[in-house]
Amino acid sequence: MAILVAIAVAGWFAVSCSPGGTNAERPVNEEEAALLAGMRERNFGAEPVALRFSVPMDGETVVADGYLDWQVPLLYARVPDGEGHRLVQAIPGLIATHADDEAAFDELRVPEDGWTTRQMLSGAATPLETTVDILASSLFTLTSAEADDPAELAEKATWREEGVIDGQPVDSFRAPIMVESSQRGAASPEALYSLDAAGDLRRFQVNTGEASLSSVDFLRDVEFDASGLVANDLLGGPVIAPAPVDEDLAETIAAVREGNWEDTAEVELTVPTGDGQVTTGYGSVDWRTMTAYLHLTDASGQRLFLARPGGYATVAAEGDELPETPPSEGWEAHALADEDAAEHFGAVESLVFRLLEMAAAEADDPKTMQEKAFLLRTDERDGDQVQVVEFPVAGDAEAAAGQSAFRYHLSGEDLAEVEMMSFYGVASAELSDEDFPMTEIPLELAEQIG
């Protein structure tokens, strides 16, 4: 809604919005209304498409190429940024950026590391970023599982003119951006839609507040291999398709936490914590003593992090190494029972405490897991099959299939990764089997964090 309000505030009549400047509007006829009404449903079932953006900015036109997967939905583009280019990925609500990699983009390949995320619109730092946010979010409104109401479009849409795009005759219409909103009196911004005879969208234009319209051309004649068009890990990775688990997988899931009960593991963390900010870390989790001991790095520097079921503590780190024995002094401790605990408890803490919860003295109930767990997708990692699943842990809120706050990657019978959905993207804790000695926590600190 924030994006759509931004479009509405830009004002439609501030620009000459006719593609050819004729401004010869007329009401749409019944056939045209039906064509417009089916556009988003056709997009919903369509293959990914190549795009070209043309964005007016400070008297010039910024041109960028990209790809759109309607069904995720996901946008992947290479965008000028004033000093060169950068890679951009977007899903509804979030934008991810990466240093330019022209070769990867030309191969329709998504770099694995080096991405940061930000919230759409509120996290934009430049006018171009704001415009990209508006266009990306507007594109995500162009798909729907059901057709729109022809009667509504017959009332609100107008025909603008005929034209030719990529050699195809098109009719251009001015019509509302069709979205569902529970907010009464919500802004209803409009756009220009250029459709060919089959009803396929060839050009989409919207007012982003400049002297002319921003436009997106859908290059439907461009052929490409869409298998590489996947979201980066901070945006959730490949598409999921929730399905019930079979009896064998339910047994495996039920035994995961019991299998960790007397074990230790090496941990690597990646947690998006703000617009353009990612906290990384490494260390260990010891389920024998319910202790997580990590070295963390973020925009404010480096720190050591200790967590036990009763709380956690941090202290400034001296260098990049994780000391084998934690320092005896200087820790800032936070007990979970403290009144102000919630003020200091963020995404990093949430993910680490979920790691501690991934061990139990007894196995979970396989029948419960078969009823409530879901297989989201199957990946391949280093030649091994990894099953990405979700299942409830005591205290978790009820969620629809595929919408749980946590996902778990199982390599055979072992827990290989825990993912957590957060405000700025998907946080990850990768786990690998490693034997660690018990961490010697200073007595006074141990009493504070349990």
Side-chain angles (χ1 to χ4, degrees):
M1 279 307 303
I3 299 292
L4 297 180
V5 168
I7 298 172
V9 168
W12 187 259
F13 293 102
V15 296
S16 174
C17 51
S18 170
T22 60
N23 205 29
E25 290 189 352
R26 65 163 172 77
V28 297
N29 58 38
E30 185 175 332
E31 182 180 349
E32 292 164 342
L35 199 68
L36 278 169
M39 176 193 65
R40 296 202 303 151
E41 186 180 28
R42 282 190 294 275
N43 290 339
F44 184 79
E47 295 295 321
V49 63
L51 308 174
R52 175 156 293 161
F53 297 86
S54 298
V55 178
M57 189 65 56
D58 298 329
E60 299 181 354
T61 300
V62 177
V63 178
D65 291 328
Y67 301 92
L68 176 66
D69 187 330
W70 302 99
Q71 297 183 27
V72 175
L74 168 72
L75 172 68
Y76 184 30
R78 182 171 179 258
V79 180
D81 64 0
E83 299 178 355
H85 290 76
R86 59 181 161 173
L87 303 184
V88 171
Q89 284 199 320
I91 60 173
L94 285 175
I95 294 277
T97 58
H98 188 284
D100 189 26
D101 190 334
E102 185 175 4
F105 185 76
D106 288 345
E107 297 168 5
L108 196 48
R109 174 170 49 83
V110 179
E112 291 185 8
D113 302 315
W115 293 90
T116 59
T117 58
R118 62 174 176 80
Q119 284 286 309
M120 275 189 176
L121 204 63
S122 63
T126 68
L128 181 57
E129 286 185 349
T130 298
T131 300
V132 170
D133 289 4
I134 291 173
L135 283 177
S137 187
S138 299
L139 289 174
F140 296 152
T141 70
L142 298 177
T143 178
S144 172
E146 298 179 355
D148 293 307
D149 182 5
E152 180 180 0
L153 286 162
E155 178 184 345
K156 296 181 179 179
T158 57
W159 179 90
R160 298 288 293 178
E161 66 176 12
E162 295 176 342
V164 176
I165 298 176
D166 290 339
Q168 295 293 322
V170 298
D171 286 281
S172 295
F173 303 92
R174 174 175 160 182
I177 294 178
M178 304 296 288
V179 294
E180 295 181 4
S181 173
S182 60
Q183 299 181 9
R184 292 186 178 180
S188 296
E190 295 177 313
L192 289 185
Y193 303 85
S194 296
L195 277 63
D196 62 23
D200 290 331
L201 185 61
R202 292 281 176 167
R203 180 174 292 160
F204 173 75
Q205 294 170 277
V206 67
N207 182 8
T208 55
E210 293 290 328
S212 57
L213 300 180
S214 293
S215 67
V216 181
D217 280 13
F218 297 85
L219 311 180
R220 295 183 178 274
D221 298 330
V222 174
E223 296 183 358
F224 59 93
D225 180 3
S227 61
L229 186 57
V230 297
N232 68 79
D233 288 343
L234 292 181
L235 296 183
V239 176
I240 63 171
V245 301
D246 59 26
E247 186 174 342
D248 289 342
L249 184 53
E251 291 276 0
T252 298
I253 293 172
V256 163
R257 298 202 304 146
E258 183 186 33
N260 290 333
W261 182 244
E262 295 183 355
D263 207 354
T264 61
E266 187 175 68
V267 181
E268 289 192 17
L269 288 182
T270 303
V271 184
T273 50
D275 290 322
Q277 299 179 25
V278 175
T279 298
T280 58
Y282 72 94
S284 64
V285 57
D286 186 342
W287 288 295
R288 301 167 302 182
T289 60
M290 285 295 171
T291 303
Y293 179 37
L294 304 164
H295 181 288
L296 303 178
T297 301
D298 58 21
S300 61
Q302 299 177 317
R303 66 188 187 276
L304 305 181
F305 184 93
L306 270 170
R308 275 189 165 176
Y312 64 95
T314 60
V315 65
E318 297 181 0
D320 298 333
E321 299 298 324
L322 180 69
E324 184 174 334
T325 301
S328 58
E329 298 179 345
W331 292 90
E332 179 183 331
H334 301 277
L336 297 188
D338 291 347
E339 292 183 1
D340 64 345
E343 297 178 15
H344 304 281
F345 202 89
V348 172
E349 290 77 15
S350 295
L351 182 56
V352 172
F353 274 85
R354 175 48 53 115
L355 288 181
L356 292 180
E357 292 171 335
M358 295 315 297
E362 297 180 357
D364 292 304
D365 180 20
K367 290 185 178 180
T368 299
M369 292 303 164
Q370 192 161 9
E371 292 174 3
K372 298 187 176 182
F374 290 92
L375 174 63
L376 305 181
R377 68 172 188 261
T378 300
D379 295 342
E380 186 173 310
R381 187 177 304 169
D382 298 329
D384 295 327
Q385 189 179 77
V386 175
Q387 294 173 302
V388 181
V389 301
E390 63 181 20
F391 58 86
V393 174
D396 284 354
E398 289 284 341
Q403 299 298 314
S404 173
F406 295 94
R407 297 175 185 169
Y408 308 94
H409 295 225
L410 304 183
S411 179
E413 297 180 351
D414 297 327
L415 180 64
E417 184 177 352
V418 176
E419 288 184 318
M420 181 186 75
M421 314 303 124
S422 77
F423 187 71
Y424 290 100
V426 179
S428 168
E430 295 187 16
L431 302 167
S432 55
D433 283 338
E434 190 74 30
D435 291 330
F436 289 97
M438 292 184 182
T439 303
E440 298 179 14
I441 300 178
L443 180 59
E444 182 179 349
L445 182 61
E447 291 175 348
Q448 291 177 281
I449 64 175

